[in-house]
Amino acid sequence: MKQSVHYDIEKDLRYLNLLSQSFPSVAAASTEIINLEAILNLPKGTEHFLADLHGEYQAFRHILKNASGNIKRKVNELFGSEIRESEKKELCTLIYYPEEKLELVKESDEDIEDWYHITIYQLVRVCRDVSSKYTRSKVRKSLPADFSYVIEQLLHERSDDMNKTAYVKVIVDTIITTGRADDFIIALCNVIQRLAIDQLHILGDIFDRGQGAHIILDTLKQYHSWDIQWGNHDILWMGASAGNDACICNVLRLSLRYANLTTLEEGYGINLLPLATFAMETYAEDACLEFMPKLLKNNEMDEKTKLLTAKMHKAIAVLQLKTEAKIIGRHPEWEMDNRCLLNSIDYKRGVCTIEGKEYDMTSCHFPTIDPSDPNRLTPEEELLMEKLHHSFAASEKLNKHISILLAHGCMYAIYNSNLLFHASIPLNDDGTLKEVELYNNKSYSGRELMQRIGILIRSAFASDTEDDERQHAIDYFLYLWCGKNSPLFDKSKMATFERYFLTDKEIYKEEKGNYFKLRDSEEVCDRILDAFGVTGNNRHIINGHVPVHASKGENPIKANGRLMVIDGGFSEAYHKETGIAGYTLVYHSRGFQLVQHEPFTSTQEAILQGTDIKSTTQIVEMSAHRMLVADTDKGIELREQIKDLKELLYAYRHGYIKEKR
């Protein structure tokens, strides 16, 4: 027996009238309900989680192209023993790099038309497979305008259907005879790449170490669906763009430390000539041994350039210490006065006193420091800082990229019962959430702390922010970078000064905060998840920041599966430390898989020789049933829409709203 349904129509009448503009009749509303109910029963889309990219743009782009090995797996499943392994390898390379691979094929293949026929049919099969979990409407939106109709016909008409064999053959023949085969293949490969990943999550740190952070952001700018939880290195560049001089100095120092000037100069047009001129004049007689750059693979440098880089490195490090002290002095509530270590040096004896103990200096050559007022900038340093500040502020591309980070990012996110953030949540010694002071003596913890920090960050870029509030927000970027209770740092100190200038390595130690000490506890992780309102039987925390030492047997899955740490050392700088070259966490309709990557050789080698990133897959957690859209956040949203549409139907059928015929 059908149950009668009653709604409080009068209460919702204004909203229902608005909804009726989109669905003006019973037929239109009914059709949409049918559509949404059907979508709820599709498999959930595949989510990919990546962290700590650190400018490694070639490896990042390859992982997007091969969907962390998922496309290769699908090709193997589809074609099995139908074609040779070498042919499957060639097909995968074509999907990843269609433009470049087509050029090579046309140079070597004697019967290109035959190759076109075979390849188009193969690509259609792969595309049909990756599109099978989506509605026709969603697939249609992913198709390029030039070939939308043709691709849709090929996806939904099969050549083995006797009634359609000639129809499909003529479509393919005509694509080739009209000279559109190359463009069609490129379009089809791009569609496969796009549909292989439904949502991309970046858990922070696009910047620093590697040479292509700007290329990664250019890639993401064109990507169909992605989000980012800001990391400490992202915040540093955001602070530099906002006008925080200490952040500017830190950005430059890290770039010089790894001899990575490509992002600065070629990516963002930052003028380093004033710094080079100042460094050569100021440190002309200084060997700057502590500041020699750390050269990574394929980054060769002659001795003259290395010495100049070291001098620039030292010049900006000293300027950084001075500008940090100036900002710290404005914020006694940060309790960071003990990090103004230029005040603690006995410049005659060459020792530094920290917590009552004297430490020998590696060197004590500071031509720009007045021992009576060590944090004061010289007139030359003031002029240099003004020029560097202007260069960052005037970089149009940097400002656009920071706007992209603001548009797609936040301090944390919750997706499908997964809590995402870059580094930590400040905790007390007993594992309870720690109150952290932000502004005007107001303190927050947990979810509210992360939300308030996000608001504060955005206020640094908002035109309607009051001057005092904006200055505080700009200053706060430094605290987020190196403050003890920052959720992006969470250590006792950042030992930059100690590592450069003190001989005793014991003083280099940076004690980790309570989150890192307690994160193996399932109880602590559950407390954090409860505080953020994350529900579900299979809820998780996912973050990066601290590289997992896979080579030493460290497990990225912690707290009995509650926490997944996915920083596997994507950056080349960490490869020796981790023993691998990063992780991708894949969450598809059957559960979680952790893909462990080996170092990527190069894009050129991938195109010419068909090399792929070698990856091994670990099953983290499999679902008892295949997850559907109904089991996701999107499903909750769709059910709410269905409820509203049913209420609209009721309003139509009972005369509260008239249909618009």
Side-chain angles (χ1 to χ4, degrees):
M1 183 176 174
K2 185 184 282 188
Q3 267 189 320
S4 61
V5 181
H6 297 283
Y7 297 101
D8 188 358
I9 295 296
E10 292 180 6
K11 177 183 172 185
D12 299 328
L13 208 51
R14 183 184 297 179
Y15 168 67
L16 292 175
N17 271 307
L18 286 172
L19 191 61
S20 71
Q21 302 300 314
S22 299
F23 304 98
S25 65
V26 168
S30 300
T31 300
E32 184 65 5
I33 291 170
I34 294 166
N35 177 46
L36 296 181
E37 290 281 10
I39 291 172
L40 287 172
N41 289 280
L42 287 171
K44 81 173 283 293
T46 301
E47 300 171 70
H48 281 227
F49 303 79
L50 289 164
D52 300 271
L53 304 176
H54 287 302
E56 296 290 344
Y57 71 96
Q58 290 198 55
F60 169 70
R61 293 205 299 188
H62 188 81
I63 282 172
L64 287 193
K65 289 174 180 294
N66 79 351
S68 302
N70 193 39
I71 289 175
K72 184 178 181 180
R73 179 179 63 80
K74 286 186 177 295
V75 167
N76 284 328
E77 288 175 357
L78 279 172
F79 296 101
S81 57
E82 285 181 38
I83 59 177
R84 292 174 294 182
E85 288 300 317
S86 60
E87 291 173 317
K88 286 187 274 188
K89 187 176 178 181
E90 291 287 306
L91 181 60
C92 286
T93 304
L94 176 68
I95 293 170
Y96 309 156
Y97 302 99
E99 295 96 335
E100 297 88 344
K101 190 63 181 175
L102 275 166
E103 292 303 315
L104 294 175
V105 169
K106 287 190 288 186
E107 288 174 9
S108 59
D109 202 294
E110 295 178 0
D111 190 348
I112 192 65
E113 286 202 8
D114 183 56
W115 183 88
Y116 280 145
H117 273 97
I118 294 169
T119 302
I120 288 172
Y121 281 114
Q122 289 174 340
L123 290 173
V124 167
R125 283 179 67 181
V126 178
C127 193
R128 187 180 294 130
D129 186 83
V130 297
S131 66
S132 61
K133 63 167 63 175
Y134 304 117
T135 63
R136 286 196 181 190
S137 173
K138 184 165 183 174
V139 173
R140 191 179 300 121
K141 291 172 185 174
S142 303
L143 303 179
D146 285 358
F147 295 109
S148 178
Y149 174 78
V150 175
I151 294 175
E152 196 169 1
Q153 292 302 304
L154 291 175
L155 289 180
H156 301 296
E157 304 293 354
R158 306 180 70 93
S159 59
D160 55 1
D161 181 345
M162 295 299 293
N163 295 319
K164 294 291 181 72
T165 301
Y167 174 74
V168 172
K169 184 178 183 302
V170 168
I171 290 176
V172 175
D173 288 345
T174 308
I175 290 168
I176 297 168
T177 57
T178 55
R180 297 284 280 164
D182 284 10
D183 293 333
F184 184 77
I185 287 170
I186 292 167
L188 206 49
C189 291
N190 289 334
V191 171
I192 292 168
Q193 288 181 33
R194 176 166 180 168
L195 295 175
I197 301 174
D198 191 43
Q199 179 74 20
L200 175 66
H201 307 287
I202 308 291
L203 277 77
D205 279 1
I206 288 174
F207 286 96
D208 292 327
R209 305 292 195 275
Q211 297 187 351
H214 57 295
I215 300 173
I216 290 174
L217 280 160
D218 280 338
T219 303
L220 288 171
K221 185 170 65 175
Q222 306 297 328
Y223 204 70
H224 60 276
S225 187
W226 66 282
D227 56 85
I228 181 169
Q229 293 69 56
W230 302 315
N232 52 316
H233 288 269
D234 306 316
I235 285 293
L236 191 63
W237 281 76
M238 292 165 79
S241 177
N244 184 308
D245 288 344
C247 290
I248 290 171
C249 291
N250 270 285
V251 162
L252 292 168
R253 179 182 61 79
L254 284 167
S255 298
L256 289 159
R257 185 182 184 193
Y258 289 94
N260 168 25
L261 304 182
T262 306
T263 300
L264 284 167
E265 294 182 307
E266 296 179 19
Y268 297 124
I270 304 299
N271 182 11
L272 298 181
L273 184 58
L275 176 58
T277 304
F278 173 85
M280 285 190 292
E281 292 174 354
T282 307
Y283 298 97
E285 305 304 321
D286 193 336
C288 298
L289 296 177
E290 309 96 319
F291 294 89
M292 285 295 168
K294 295 185 176 184
L295 298 179
L296 302 178
K297 182 179 66 177
N298 300 325
N299 191 6
E300 296 179 359
M301 188 179 280
D302 59 54
E303 290 303 314
K304 185 177 179 180
T305 308
K306 277 172 67 175
L307 182 57
L308 173 59
T309 304
K311 292 179 187 296
M312 294 168 69
H313 189 180
K314 182 169 184 177
I316 204 65
V318 173
L319 193 54
Q320 173 193 316
L321 294 170
K322 290 184 176 185
T323 53
E324 286 180 347
K326 184 178 179 181
I327 296 173
I328 289 168
R330 291 201 291 263
H331 297 281
E333 72 276 11
W334 292 357
E335 299 180 350
M336 289 180 66
D337 288 348
N338 61 347
R339 299 314 302 154
C340 301
L341 290 171
L342 294 181
N343 298 328
S344 303
I345 299 173
D346 184 327
Y347 291 89
K348 289 183 179 178
R349 295 171 53 221
V351 295
C352 181
T353 303
I354 300 176
E355 295 181 358
K357 184 177 178 180
E358 290 187 346
Y359 295 91
D360 291 330
M361 304 278 290
T362 54
S363 67
C364 203
H365 181 237
F366 297 106
T368 68
I369 290 180
D370 176 0
S372 65
D373 190 4
N375 295 310
R376 180 175 56 82
L377 272 63
T378 66
E380 293 79 12
E381 285 177 319
E382 290 272 11
L383 181 61
L384 172 61
M385 197 67 249
E386 285 177 17
K387 290 179 178 178
L388 293 172
H389 187 109
H390 172 75
S391 195
F392 274 82
S395 174
E396 185 179 349
K397 186 164 185 176
L398 176 60
N399 292 331
K400 284 182 178 178
H401 279 178
I402 298 305
S403 295
I404 290 170
L405 290 179
L406 289 167
H408 287 265
C410 54
M411 287 294 294
Y412 78 99
I414 299 169
Y415 281 91
N416 298 327
S417 297
N418 298 307
L419 172 61
L420 319 180
F421 55 83
H422 175 66
S424 80
I425 302 297
L427 300 175
N428 295 310
D429 292 344
D430 62 357
T432 55
L433 298 173
K434 188 172 189 176
E435 294 274 337
V436 177
E437 185 177 331
L438 278 192
Y439 190 43
N440 289 340
N441 298 317
K442 293 181 179 178
S443 297
Y444 307 95
S445 66
R447 184 173 190 164
E448 192 172 10
L449 173 65
M450 299 292 262
Q451 288 174 335
R452 294 283 178 171
I453 289 174
I455 293 168
L456 191 61
I457 288 167
R458 293 180 194 283
S459 69
F461 300 95
S463 58
D464 59 348
T465 306
E466 295 289 335
D467 289 346
D468 288 348
E469 186 183 347
R470 176 181 287 148
Q471 187 57 59
H472 178 84
I474 292 171
D475 286 355
Y476 201 73
F477 282 107
L478 177 62
Y479 188 83
L480 286 170
W481 169 246
C482 61
K484 181 179 179 180
N485 292 318
S486 163
L488 294 175
F489 183 62
D490 201 5
K491 293 182 185 178
S492 59
K493 65 183 180 185
M494 184 173 284
T496 304
F497 175 91
E498 291 88 337
R499 292 177 187 278
Y500 283 133
F501 296 115
L502 303 184
T503 58
D504 189 346
K505 292 186 178 181
E506 280 298 310
I507 196 68
Y508 298 179
K509 187 177 179 182
E510 301 171 344
E511 185 180 351
K512 292 178 180 177
N514 287 321
Y515 175 80
F516 300 108
K517 294 176 183 177
L518 302 172
R519 64 181 182 172
D520 280 323
S521 165
E522 187 175 354
E523 180 186 350
V524 168
C525 289
D526 277 333
R527 185 179 295 132
I528 293 170
L529 288 163
D530 287 342
F532 278 80
V534 183
T535 58
N537 295 327
N538 297 308
R539 58 183 187 165
H540 311 89
I541 295 171
I542 306 173
N543 63 250
H545 186 60
V546 178
V548 175
H549 294 79
S551 59
K552 296 179 182 177
E554 183 182 356
N555 190 348
I557 312 304
K558 303 178 185 297
N560 197 27
R562 276 287 185 263
L563 171 65
M564 306 181 196
V565 181
I566 61 168
D567 180 3
F570 210 92
S571 167
E572 186 195 331
Y574 295 120
H575 288 180
K576 287 183 180 179
E577 186 178 340
T578 63
I580 59 174
Y583 293 116
T584 304
L585 182 66
V586 180
Y587 185 27
H588 48 65
S589 60
R590 301 195 184 278
F592 282 97
Q593 291 181 316
L594 190 68
V595 183
Q596 178 178 301
H597 306 297
E598 291 185 17
F600 182 55
T601 50
S602 71
T603 300
Q604 186 178 14
E605 194 171 319
I607 295 164
L608 294 176
Q609 299 177 25
T611 56
D612 207 341
I613 291 181
K614 293 181 180 178
S615 303
T616 54
T617 301
Q618 171 187 347
I619 295 174
V620 176
E621 183 179 289
M622 298 307 284
S623 175
H625 70 283
R626 190 174 193 190
M627 284 174 284
L628 306 177
V629 172
D631 302 312
T632 68
D633 295 341
K634 185 67 177 176
I636 295 171
E637 182 185 325
L638 293 181
R639 279 193 290 269
E640 284 297 313
Q641 291 177 25
I642 290 168
K643 179 184 172 186
D644 292 342
L645 287 164
K646 286 182 176 179
E647 193 168 350
L648 178 61
L649 279 181
Y650 184 91
Y652 280 143
R653 286 168 174 162
H654 290 78
Y656 289 97
I657 299 174
K658 297 293 185 288
E659 292 185 73
K660 299 168 183 62
R661 298 291 182 185

